[in-house]
Amino acid sequence: MSESNRQLRLKTRPEGDVRREDFDLVAQPLPELGDGEVLIRVLYLSMDPTQRVWMRDIPQYLPPVAIGEVMRALGIGRVVASRSAHYAEGDLVQGLLGWQDYAQLHEKQLAASGYVKLGAQAQQLPLPTLLGACGMSGMTAYYGLTDIAPVQPGETLVVSAAAGSVGSIAGQIGKIRGARVVGIAGGADKCRYLVEELGFDAAVDYKAGDWKQALKAATPDGVHVNFENVGGEIMRAVLSRMVIGGRVALCGVIAGYNSDERPADDFSVAIYKRLTIRGFLILDYKQAKEAVQALGGWLREGRLKAEETVVDGLENAPLALNRLFDGSHRGKLVLRVDPAS
Ligand code: NAP
């Protein structure tokens, strides 16, 4: 076991792209454990668009990360020392571990929602998949299309950021449910991937000049359900294609996360199309067993494809996060913190 713990602590709030200098990389000696405490070696960290929002001092669903605080991040780690009767060396834990080599947590913190001990069945899957298709991203896609805006056979579903972690699973769930699925993504390669490898019916490259026309051509019967990950101009274009009574699972608005400018959105279309637009947060789904079982089953049957882009090295976390915004990854973006994992 390494004798020190490297941590990335927020130093300055980024403006636009995240810079390495926005974080202090500090090495701390590993602490003695107190009664009830557990030391977890961080193996993989989930890179999530919401982390860019956590870096900002604006109203949001969790407190912003404070200056000087270890950057908040979901991850998977292995217990390497324990003074808790509930955790043994070797246990795998998923939860908010942070941008650091080791997380020292009390069993009371681990008992709070947001942390789970991974069982034997989960451990049959690769760890990055447990953060992606069969983890938080997959569950978000699952509940968005099951609970928030269920899609029916024969309906048209449009998914934005469709080649990313949540979007790629949402589109595939749409196909499993018998919908006609159209993905929106940046670039010809990603669009080809959606149709040829993931089985989408059509894909629209929003970086191509004629993309609104292409969206219209790809949705001849209009759009019944929109699984929205991007917001802004893309969402407005999809809403304008929706049928009367269409439903929107408003999952994320990544187009606005990197900028302090608030878009002046015109929602009159939601009125005249009698749309139901429902925002949701996966952290409200405490019992995710149903989703994990369904996603795991589809993966085993080969009906769902999981893809991950893995970046190595804790020190690379700040710059890696920008890949969520420049689109230079496919599927789930994860950071491997422990080179041995
Ligand atoms: P991701 O899709 O793997 O990565 C983000 C993708 O968004 C990029 O690959 C990029 O794809 C696209 N993008 C970035 N900036 C864009 C822009 N300005 N315009 C158009 N596309 C842009 O990330 P993810 O983790 O799956 O998250 C996707 C969305 O789900 C985010 O909005 C996130 O906040 C949301 N989310 C919500 C919940 C919830 O509980 N509600 C949970 C997880 C995630 P291209 O190359 O195609 O541009």
Side-chain angles (χ1 to χ4, degrees):
M1 197 195 311
S2 154
E3 289 305 307
S4 72
N5 182 20
R6 292 174 309 152
Q7 300 182 319
L8 279 160
R9 298 184 183 170
L10 184 62
K11 185 176 166 193
T12 45
R13 299 199 183 278
E15 288 173 16
D17 286 349
V18 179
R19 302 168 312 154
R20 221 181 263 273
E21 310 86 88
D22 291 323
F23 289 84
D24 276 323
L25 182 62
V26 284
Q28 292 273 97
L30 278 180
E32 290 286 309
L33 291 185
D35 272 349
E37 283 188 331
V38 171
L39 188 67
I40 297 170
R41 172 62 168 130
V42 180
L43 304 177
Y44 283 92
L45 290 170
S46 176
M47 303 303 285
D48 293 308
T50 195
Q51 290 176 285
R52 184 62 190 82
V53 183
W54 293 342
M55 291 174 192
R56 297 169 63 187
D57 192 10
I58 56 168
Q60 49 188 293
Y61 63 93
L62 287 177
V65 172
I67 298 296
E69 194 181 337
V70 175
M71 182 59 207
R72 185 187 297 137
L74 178 69
I76 293 180
R78 192 179 298 284
V79 174
V80 288
S82 173
R83 289 194 57 194
S84 160
H86 305 293
Y87 290 87
E89 271 183 46
D91 283 348
L92 277 180
V93 175
Q94 180 166 350
L96 291 174
L97 301 180
W99 282 2
Q100 54 188 344
D101 286 318
Y102 292 90
Q104 180 190 3
L105 292 161
H106 194 276
E107 60 188 14
K108 282 188 189 150
Q109 289 170 284
L110 289 164
S113 68
Y115 292 95
V116 284
K117 203 194 285 189
L118 295 173
Q121 204 178 358
Q123 292 184 40
Q124 289 168 4
L125 289 167
L127 298 183
T129 308
L130 291 173
L131 291 171
C134 224
M136 194 265 289
S137 305
M139 289 175 206
T140 304
Y142 181 88
Y143 286 114
L145 289 177
T146 305
D147 197 22
I148 303 298
V151 68
Q152 306 300 328
E155 289 188 329
T156 296
L157 164 69
V158 172
V159 181
S160 56
S165 188
V166 175
S168 61
I169 305 300
Q172 292 181 83
I173 292 175
K175 286 308 300 172
I176 289 168
R177 299 258 165 85
R180 172 181 163 73
V181 178
V182 178
I184 302 179
D189 281 350
K190 284 192 177 181
C191 287
R192 225 181 343 265
Y193 164 70
L194 294 177
V195 174
E196 292 176 10
E197 294 186 44
L198 300 188
F200 284 42
D201 296 283
V204 172
D205 174 5
Y206 75 88
K207 290 184 176 165
D210 56 350
W211 69 271
K212 288 183 188 164
Q213 193 52 40
L215 177 64
K216 193 173 171 190
T219 55
D221 301 329
V223 178
H224 302 88
V225 175
N226 170 210
F227 191 102
E228 187 53 48
N229 288 316
V230 172
E233 198 185 356
I234 288 182
M235 181 171 174
R236 279 194 294 278
V238 178
L239 292 189
S240 75
R241 293 295 308 147
M242 294 200 74
V243 299
I244 289 176
R247 291 98 67 203
V248 180
L250 185 53
C251 175
V253 288
I254 194 170
Y257 295 174
N258 239 348
S259 154
D260 281 334
E261 280 173 37
R262 308 313 307 150
D265 270 318
D266 171 9
F267 278 110
S268 54
V269 63
I271 302 167
Y272 67 77
K273 298 222 175 189
R274 290 79 133 184
L275 303 178
T276 303
I277 302 178
R278 217 178 133 191
F280 69 107
L281 278 171
I282 194 59
L283 57 77
D284 293 332
Y285 289 84
K286 312 284 183 215
Q287 298 293 333
K289 227 179 187 169
E290 172 199 323
V292 173
Q293 272 172 0
L295 293 161
W298 291 329
L299 271 174
R300 276 190 299 277
E301 291 158 18
R303 300 174 77 194
L304 192 67
K305 285 188 184 153
E307 176 155 344
E308 296 94 20
T309 301
V310 181
V311 176
D312 276 302
L314 178 70
E315 65 285 2
N316 295 321
L319 296 187
L321 197 78
N322 293 327
R323 296 183 66 166
L324 295 167
F325 297 89
D326 66 22
S328 61
H329 79 291
R330 230 166 58 175
K332 177 73 193 173
L333 183 65
V334 295
L335 190 84
R336 181 166 28 215
V337 178
D338 179 4
S341 61

